[in-house]
Amino acid sequence: MTSTRPETAAASAVVARLGREQKIAMLSGADFWNTKGLPGHGAEAVMVTDGPHGLRKQRGNNDHVGLGDSVPATCFPTAATLGSTWDAPLLEQVGAALGREVRAENVAVLLGPGLNIKRHPGGGRNFEYLSEDPFLAGKAAAALVRGIQSEGVGACLKHFAVNNQENRRMSLDTIVDERTLRELYLAGFETAVIESQPWTVMCAYNLVNGEHAGESRRLLTGILRDEWGFDGLVMSDWLAVFDRPAGVHAGLDLEMPSSQGSWDGRVSKALDSGELSEADLDIACARVVELALRAASGRREHGDAVVDFDAQHALARTAAAAGTVLLANEGLLPLAPSGTIGLIGGFAETPRYQGAGSSQVNPTRLDTALDAMRARVGTDAELVYAPGYDARTGTSSAAQLEEARALATRSDAVVLMAGLPASYESEGFDRDHLRLPDDMYALVNAVVTANPRTVLVLINGAPVELDFVAEPVSIVEAYLGGQAAGSAIVDVLFGDTEPGGRLAESIPVKASDLPSDADFATHPTQVRYREGLNVGYRFHDTWGVAPRYAFGHGLSYTTFEWTDAAVTGSGVEFTVSVTVTNTGERPGSEVVQVYVHDVASTLFRPEQELKGFAKVHLEPGASERVTIPLGRRAFAVWDVASSGWLVENGEFEVRVAASSRDIRFREVVSVADDGDGAQLRPAVTAVPAPAGPVATEAEFEKILGRRLPTPRPLLPLTYDSGIDDLKLTWLGRRLHGVLMSQIARNFDIGEMDEQTATMLRAVIGQMPLRGVVVNSGGRLSFDVLDKLLAVLNLGRH
């Protein structure tokens, strides 16, 4: 797609005046966070910096990651919470608030949102992602992007594509069949690109079917640009580049961070040999220049931003409550501010409100549930607090356990806050189980046994196993709600606002129930998506394995009546309508979800798939007629043979629901796509379906249409080998310690808090050896790395 923006033509004119060396130099950043500029040509350097739920702008110099020293910024709820709002208008407001802070700090692009699919709840970075479902994730991401870019700055969709685990993410080869790739892992990006036109997209670290994402012309040009119409810039994830000439040809415009010219010689040689064309170079350079020109235009149009941090904090509080999910409630909530209320849990005093890693924000302020609850009850009730556990480790001493039990016994009601300590989930590593710390199960059982009138508030970035011996009567999933989470939780507990969230992911009974568990973080160089489309509710609803709590589930403090549901339309265009009435005594919101079920599909299809939703906010007694459109894509599948979205004509059941397992209305419609070549031809296109939720290797090969590739061995060492892989050779073991010490100094690990240091050590250990060259400040070259690898591999035994 060719852009008609004036900046596009201006950028091309600038590039036409540059020499080859200048063009090549522009394709890599100036430092860790800034691009290079061309001041003489009106294209200034611009800063890009981390999001996605708050600005993380490094103070001072820009030569390293700067995790421990960033400017204060509003820490909005994490994506796990924002996705649970199911509220696109609210997310657009949050995006605009983020954009204002980005503009105020003279940053051009916020690196977010992230919308990788939550293939497995153990993904270490799941708190940064929106949903297990691509339709919901795409709509939510599009809303955030529209909001961010409404302030004259850019957003960055990430991580493109199929980056669904942290373990070995920088060199892992993801083997996925084409239909699953299109329907599950690319569909959300497609929606967000088409509906919000982000300024930038970030490629992922991993390989996809044997090809690095950043060197895949099919992904970055064929699909992203030619099919979806993306006309912005593609940048690398930090240190993700494997082969710069191949990346330039593929459509990877900007390498980040700066490689200090490490790749320039190889790009020049590729141009000389004809491996890379001058046209490819010009296109990539023009996109980098255009980003600078767009940033300048945004500043001129919008001017300096004035940020009202009180208003930002209030919005963060609203969003946190809107994404809080009431999982269970047997009449205890909302609480009355009377009698003795026991507040138990170290998170009440030392809140966990965001995840660890590159998204970590330095908040402008921080609300605690303890302070907020004290202010809320005042003198109307006696509030007594007991920590119950160490918020840093999740462990309880015998004295803490006894204090909590005693407090529960004498309280009229108990609020127990429990969840995952920061060390359990982070960028850089995955969880190897879904359990809470053992002592928290003991604490929950002791407190609930002592006082059945206990509400459990969960603080976590992703699902946990909730197999308690003594079940709390009320359970609230608060996720990681940002800097205002403490106040938002109290607002919800006392009914000052509603728990507005609905689950954007299924909560399984146990990890071993899930088909993806068989191939999750189990191999160092390859992962096989043998479960195909059987992810999240698609698995639970298709194969009859009940989750603990279903996708889309969430209770309210009021009641709703759904009436007069209807589906109208013909062909492939339909409209779903239903009247929702608040029949209770409190204001509240309801989420109408529309799922589509193919009654008699030739191809394997999940039992149902989300194809529309709407959130309505109603005062007591108020009604609203909700209408949700269903277009051709709601009924289509990706046809591998024709490389297109096709519809199999026939009957489809449209299901109007409050969750994937709470269907309120069903109607069968006859779908007929009469477009030329638009119908699915089963005899030609049928692909064998596996007999169960996890394909055998033989079944998977049939679905792939090729033999399974042999995983890359850890030896011999290559550019993609991690630093920790050096320990596999005797000479490498000696080099490993030296490298780790030097890189630790470069990243200031000694100055970081424990959770950030742990995350960064994991990231560094998995850093590919090519990253050592890029991160060397020009002191090492790829030619030197080639020679070093030859020596290491000769003496590997």
Coordinates of all heavy atoms in Angstrom, one line a residue, residues 52-116:
P52 N 3.8 -1.0 27.5 CA 2.6 -0.5 26.8 C 1.6 0.2 27.8 O 0.7 0.8 27.3 CB 2.0 -1.8 26.2 CG 2.4 -2.9 27.1 CD 3.8 -2.5 27.7
H53 N 1.7 0.0 29.1 CA 0.7 0.5 30.0 C 1.2 1.8 30.7 O 0.6 2.2 31.7 CB 0.2 -0.5 31.0 CG 1.4 -1.1 31.8 ND1 2.1 -2.2 31.4 CD2 1.9 -0.7 33.0 CE1 3.0 -2.5 32.3 NE2 2.9 -1.6 33.3
G54 N 2.3 2.4 30.2 CA 2.8 3.6 30.8 C 4.1 3.9 30.2 O 4.8 3.1 29.6
L55 N 4.5 5.2 30.2 CA 5.7 5.6 29.6 C 6.9 5.2 30.4 O 6.9 5.6 31.6 CB 5.7 7.1 29.4 CG 6.9 7.8 28.8 CD1 7.1 7.4 27.3 CD2 6.8 9.3 28.9
R56 N 7.9 4.6 29.8 CA 9.1 4.3 30.6 C 10.3 4.9 29.8 O 11.0 4.3 29.0 CB 9.3 2.8 30.7 CG 10.5 2.4 31.7 CD 10.7 0.9 31.8 NE 11.3 0.4 30.6 CZ 12.6 0.5 30.3 NH1 13.4 1.2 31.0 NH2 13.0 -0.1 29.2
K57 N 10.4 6.2 30.1 CA 11.5 7.0 29.4 C 12.7 7.0 30.3 O 12.6 7.5 31.5 CB 11.0 8.4 29.1 CG 12.1 9.2 28.4 CD 11.6 10.7 28.2 CE 12.7 11.5 27.6 NZ 12.2 12.9 27.4
Q58 N 13.8 6.6 29.8 CA 15.1 6.6 30.6 C 15.6 8.0 30.9 O 15.5 8.8 30.0 CB 16.1 5.8 29.8 CG 17.4 5.7 30.6 CD 18.5 5.0 29.7 OE1 18.1 4.3 28.8 NE2 19.7 5.1 30.0
R59 N 16.0 8.2 32.1 CA 16.6 9.5 32.4 C 18.1 9.5 31.9 O 18.7 8.5 31.6 CB 16.7 9.7 33.9 CG 15.4 9.8 34.6 CD 15.7 10.1 36.1 NE 14.6 9.8 37.0 CZ 13.8 10.7 37.4 NH1 13.9 12.0 37.0 NH2 12.8 10.4 38.3
G60 N 18.6 10.7 31.7 CA 20.1 10.8 31.4 C 20.4 10.3 30.1 O 19.7 10.4 29.1
N61 N 21.6 9.6 30.0 CA 22.1 9.1 28.7 C 21.2 7.9 28.2 O 20.4 7.3 28.9 CB 23.5 8.7 28.8 CG 23.8 7.6 29.7 OD1 23.1 6.6 29.8 ND2 24.8 7.7 30.5
N62 N 21.4 7.6 26.9 CA 20.5 6.6 26.3 C 21.3 5.5 25.7 O 21.1 5.0 24.6 CB 19.7 7.3 25.2 CG 18.7 8.3 25.7 OD1 17.8 7.9 26.4 ND2 18.9 9.5 25.4
D63 N 22.3 5.0 26.5 CA 23.2 4.0 26.0 C 22.9 2.6 26.6 O 23.7 1.7 26.4 CB 24.7 4.4 26.2 CG 25.0 4.6 27.7 OD1 24.1 4.5 28.5 OD2 26.2 4.7 28.0
H64 N 21.9 2.5 27.4 CA 21.6 1.2 27.9 C 20.1 1.1 28.2 O 19.3 2.1 28.0 CB 22.4 0.9 29.2 CG 22.2 1.8 30.3 ND1 21.3 1.7 31.3 CD2 22.8 3.0 30.5 CE1 21.4 2.7 32.1 NE2 22.3 3.5 31.7
V65 N 19.6 0.0 28.8 CA 18.2 -0.3 28.9 C 17.5 0.6 29.9 O 16.4 1.0 29.8 CB 17.9 -1.8 29.3 CG1 18.4 -2.1 30.6 CG2 16.5 -2.1 29.1
G66 N 18.2 1.0 31.0 CA 17.7 2.0 31.9 C 16.5 1.6 32.7 O 15.6 2.4 33.0
L67 N 16.4 0.3 33.1 CA 15.2 -0.2 33.7 C 15.0 0.4 35.1 O 13.9 0.6 35.6 CB 15.3 -1.7 33.9 CG 15.0 -2.5 32.6 CD1 15.3 -4.0 32.9 CD2 13.6 -2.3 32.1
G68 N 16.1 0.8 35.8 CA 16.0 1.3 37.1 C 15.9 2.8 37.3 O 15.8 3.3 38.4
D69 N 15.9 3.5 36.2 CA 15.9 5.0 36.3 C 15.1 5.6 35.1 O 15.6 6.0 34.1 CB 17.4 5.4 36.2 CG 17.5 6.9 36.5 OD1 16.6 7.5 37.1 OD2 18.5 7.5 36.1
S70 N 13.8 5.7 35.3 CA 13.0 6.3 34.3 C 12.1 7.5 34.9 O 12.0 7.5 36.1 CB 12.0 5.3 33.7 OG 11.2 4.7 34.7
V71 N 11.7 8.3 34.1 CA 10.9 9.5 34.5 C 9.6 9.0 35.1 O 9.0 8.0 34.7 CB 10.7 10.5 33.4 CG1 12.0 11.0 32.8 CG2 9.8 9.9 32.3
P72 N 9.0 9.7 36.1 CA 7.7 9.4 36.6 C 6.7 9.5 35.5 O 6.7 10.4 34.7 CB 7.5 10.4 37.7 CG 8.9 10.9 38.1 CD 9.6 10.9 36.9
A73 N 5.8 8.5 35.5 CA 4.7 8.4 34.5 C 3.5 7.7 35.2 O 3.7 6.9 36.1 CB 5.2 7.8 33.3
T74 N 2.4 7.9 34.6 CA 1.2 7.2 35.1 C 1.3 5.7 34.7 O 1.4 5.4 33.6 CB -0.1 7.8 34.6 OG1 -0.1 9.2 34.8 CG2 -1.3 7.1 35.2
C75 N 1.2 4.8 35.7 CA 1.2 3.4 35.5 C -0.3 3.0 35.4 O -0.9 2.8 36.4 CB 1.9 2.7 36.6 SG 2.0 0.9 36.3
F76 N -0.7 2.9 34.2 CA -2.1 2.4 33.9 C -2.2 0.9 34.2 O -1.1 0.2 34.3 CB -2.5 2.8 32.5 CG -2.8 4.2 32.4 CD1 -1.9 5.1 31.9 CD2 -4.1 4.7 32.7 CE1 -2.2 6.4 31.8 CE2 -4.4 6.1 32.6 CZ -3.4 6.9 32.1
P77 N -3.3 0.3 34.3 CA -3.4 -1.1 34.4 C -2.7 -1.9 33.3 O -2.7 -1.4 32.1 CB -5.0 -1.4 34.4 CG -5.6 -0.1 34.8 CD -4.7 1.0 34.3
T78 N -2.2 -3.0 33.6 CA -1.5 -3.8 32.6 C -2.6 -4.4 31.6 O -3.8 -4.3 31.8 CB -0.8 -5.0 33.2 OG1 -1.8 -5.8 33.9 CG2 0.3 -4.6 34.2
A79 N -2.1 -4.9 30.5 CA -3.0 -5.3 29.4 C -3.9 -6.5 29.9 O -5.0 -6.6 29.4 CB -2.1 -5.8 28.2
A80 N -3.5 -7.3 30.8 CA -4.3 -8.3 31.3 C -5.6 -7.7 31.9 O -6.7 -8.3 31.8 CB -3.6 -9.2 32.4
T81 N -5.5 -6.6 32.6 CA -6.6 -5.9 33.2 C -7.4 -5.1 32.1 O -8.6 -5.2 32.0 CB -6.1 -4.9 34.2 OG1 -5.2 -5.5 35.1 CG2 -7.3 -4.4 35.0
L82 N -6.7 -4.4 31.2 CA -7.3 -3.7 30.2 C -8.1 -4.6 29.2 O -9.3 -4.2 28.8 CB -6.3 -2.8 29.4 CG -5.6 -1.7 30.2 CD1 -4.6 -1.1 29.3 CD2 -6.6 -0.7 30.7
G83 N -7.6 -5.7 28.9 CA -8.3 -6.6 28.0 C -9.6 -7.1 28.7 O -10.6 -7.3 28.0
S84 N -9.6 -7.2 30.0 CA -10.8 -7.7 30.7 C -11.9 -6.6 30.8 O -13.0 -7.0 31.3 CB -10.4 -8.1 32.1 OG -9.5 -9.2 32.1
T85 N -11.6 -5.4 30.4 CA -12.7 -4.4 30.4 C -13.7 -4.7 29.3 O -14.8 -4.2 29.4 CB -12.1 -3.0 30.2 OG1 -11.5 -2.8 28.9 CG2 -11.1 -2.7 31.3
W86 N -13.3 -5.3 28.2 CA -14.1 -5.4 27.0 C -14.7 -4.1 26.6 O -15.9 -4.0 26.1 CB -15.2 -6.5 27.2 CG -14.8 -7.9 27.4 CD1 -14.0 -8.4 28.5 CD2 -15.1 -9.0 26.6 NE1 -13.8 -9.7 28.3 CE2 -14.5 -10.1 27.2 CE3 -15.8 -9.2 25.4 CZ2 -14.6 -11.4 26.6 CZ3 -15.9 -10.5 24.9 CH2 -15.3 -11.6 25.5
D87 N -14.0 -3.0 26.8 CA -14.6 -1.7 26.6 C -13.7 -0.8 25.7 O -12.8 -0.1 26.2 CB -14.7 -1.0 28.0 CG -15.5 0.2 28.0 OD1 -15.7 0.9 27.0 OD2 -16.1 0.5 29.1
A88 N -14.0 -0.9 24.4 CA -13.1 -0.1 23.4 C -13.1 1.4 23.7 O -12.0 2.0 23.6 CB -13.6 -0.5 22.0
P89 N -14.2 2.0 24.0 CA -14.2 3.5 24.2 C -13.3 3.8 25.4 O -12.6 4.8 25.4 CB -15.7 3.8 24.5 CG -16.4 2.8 23.7 CD -15.7 1.5 23.9
L90 N -13.4 3.0 26.5 CA -12.5 3.3 27.6 C -11.1 3.1 27.3 O -10.2 3.9 27.7 CB -12.9 2.3 28.8 CG -12.0 2.4 30.0 CD1 -12.1 3.8 30.7 CD2 -12.4 1.4 31.1
L91 N -10.7 2.0 26.5 CA -9.4 1.8 26.1 C -8.8 2.9 25.2 O -7.7 3.3 25.3 CB -9.2 0.5 25.4 CG -9.5 -0.8 26.3 CD1 -9.1 -2.0 25.6 CD2 -8.9 -0.7 27.6
E92 N -9.7 3.5 24.4 CA -9.3 4.6 23.6 C -9.0 5.8 24.5 O -8.0 6.6 24.2 CB -10.4 5.0 22.6 CG -9.9 5.7 21.4 CD -10.8 5.6 20.2 OE1 -11.5 4.6 20.0 OE2 -10.8 6.6 19.4
Q93 N -9.7 6.0 25.6 CA -9.4 7.1 26.5 C -8.0 6.8 27.2 O -7.2 7.7 27.4 CB -10.5 7.2 27.6 CG -11.8 7.7 27.2 CD -12.8 7.7 28.3 OE1 -12.5 8.2 29.4 NE2 -13.9 7.1 28.1
V94 N -7.8 5.6 27.6 CA -6.5 5.2 28.2 C -5.4 5.5 27.2 O -4.3 6.0 27.5 CB -6.5 3.8 28.7 CG1 -5.1 3.3 29.1 CG2 -7.5 3.6 29.8
G95 N -5.6 5.1 25.9 CA -4.6 5.3 24.9 C -4.3 6.8 24.8 O -3.1 7.2 24.7
A96 N -5.3 7.6 24.7 CA -5.1 9.1 24.6 C -4.3 9.6 25.8 O -3.5 10.5 25.6 CB -6.4 9.8 24.4
A97 N -4.6 9.1 27.0 CA -3.9 9.6 28.2 C -2.4 9.2 28.1 O -1.5 10.0 28.4 CB -4.5 9.0 29.4
L98 N -2.2 8.0 27.6 CA -0.8 7.5 27.4 C -0.1 8.5 26.4 O 1.0 8.9 26.5 CB -0.8 6.1 26.9 CG -1.1 5.0 27.9 CD1 -1.3 3.7 27.2 CD2 0.1 4.8 28.9
G99 N -0.8 8.8 25.3 CA -0.3 9.6 24.2 C 0.1 11.0 24.7 O 1.1 11.6 24.3
R100 N -0.7 11.6 25.6 CA -0.4 12.9 26.2 C 0.9 12.9 26.9 O 1.7 13.8 26.8 CB -1.5 13.4 27.1 CG -2.7 13.9 26.4 CD -3.7 14.6 27.3 NE -4.3 13.7 28.2 CZ -5.4 13.0 27.9 NH1 -5.9 13.1 26.7 NH2 -6.0 12.2 28.8
E101 N 1.1 11.8 27.7 CA 2.4 11.8 28.5 C 3.6 11.5 27.5 O 4.7 12.0 27.8 CB 2.3 10.7 29.5 CG 1.3 11.0 30.6 CD 1.4 10.1 31.8 OE1 2.5 9.7 32.2 OE2 0.3 9.9 32.5
V102 N 3.4 10.8 26.5 CA 4.4 10.5 25.5 C 4.8 11.9 24.8 O 6.0 12.2 24.7 CB 3.9 9.5 24.4 CG1 4.9 9.5 23.3 CG2 3.8 8.1 25.1
R103 N 3.8 12.6 24.4 CA 4.0 13.9 23.8 C 4.7 14.9 24.7 O 5.6 15.7 24.4 CB 2.7 14.5 23.3 CG 2.8 15.8 22.5 CD 1.6 16.0 21.6 NE 0.4 15.9 22.2 CZ -0.3 16.9 22.8 NH1 0.2 18.1 22.8 NH2 -1.5 16.7 23.3
A104 N 4.3 14.9 26.0 CA 4.9 15.8 27.0 C 6.3 15.5 27.2 O 7.1 16.5 27.5 CB 4.1 15.7 28.3
E105 N 6.8 14.3 27.0 CA 8.2 14.0 27.2 C 9.0 14.0 25.9 O 10.1 13.5 25.8 CB 8.3 12.6 27.9 CG 7.9 12.6 29.3 CD 8.9 13.3 30.2 OE1 10.1 13.5 29.7 OE2 8.6 13.6 31.4
N106 N 8.3 14.5 24.8 CA 9.0 14.6 23.5 C 9.4 13.3 23.0 O 10.5 13.1 22.4 CB 10.1 15.6 23.6 CG 10.6 16.1 22.2 OD1 9.7 16.2 21.3 ND2 11.8 16.4 22.0
V107 N 8.6 12.3 23.2 CA 8.9 10.9 22.7 C 8.0 10.8 21.4 O 6.8 11.3 21.4 CB 8.5 9.9 23.7 CG1 8.5 8.5 23.1 CG2 9.5 9.9 24.9
A108 N 8.5 10.1 20.4 CA 7.7 10.0 19.2 C 6.8 8.8 19.1 O 5.8 8.8 18.6 CB 8.7 10.0 18.0
V109 N 7.3 7.7 19.7 CA 6.6 6.4 19.6 C 6.6 5.7 20.9 O 7.7 5.5 21.5 CB 7.2 5.5 18.5 CG1 6.5 4.1 18.5 CG2 7.2 6.1 17.1
L110 N 5.4 5.3 21.3 CA 5.3 4.4 22.5 C 5.3 3.0 22.1 O 4.5 2.6 21.2 CB 4.0 4.7 23.3 CG 3.8 3.9 24.6 CD1 4.7 4.5 25.7 CD2 2.3 4.1 25.0
L111 N 6.1 2.1 22.6 CA 6.3 0.8 22.2 C 5.2 -0.1 22.8 O 5.4 -0.8 23.8 CB 7.7 0.2 22.5 CG 8.8 1.1 21.9 CD1 10.2 0.5 22.3 CD2 8.7 1.1 20.4
G112 N 4.1 -0.1 22.2 CA 2.9 -0.9 22.6 C 1.7 -0.4 21.8 O 1.8 0.6 21.1
P113 N 0.6 -1.2 21.9 CA 0.4 -2.3 22.8 C 0.9 -3.6 22.2 O 1.2 -3.8 21.1 CB -1.2 -2.3 22.8 CG -1.6 -1.8 21.4 CD -0.6 -0.8 21.1
G114 N 1.0 -4.6 23.2 CA 1.3 -6.0 22.8 C 0.0 -6.8 22.7 O -0.9 -6.7 23.5
L115 N -0.1 -7.6 21.7 CA -1.3 -8.4 21.5 C -1.0 -9.8 21.1 O -1.8 -10.4 20.4 CB -2.3 -7.7 20.5 CG -1.9 -7.6 19.1 CD1 -3.2 -7.5 18.2 CD2 -1.1 -6.4 18.8
N116 N 0.1 -10.4 21.5 CA 0.3 -11.8 21.3 C -0.7 -12.6 22.0 O -1.1 -12.3 23.1 CB 1.7 -12.2 21.7 CG 2.8 -11.5 20.8 OD1 3.2 -10.4 21.1 ND2 3.1 -12.1 19.7

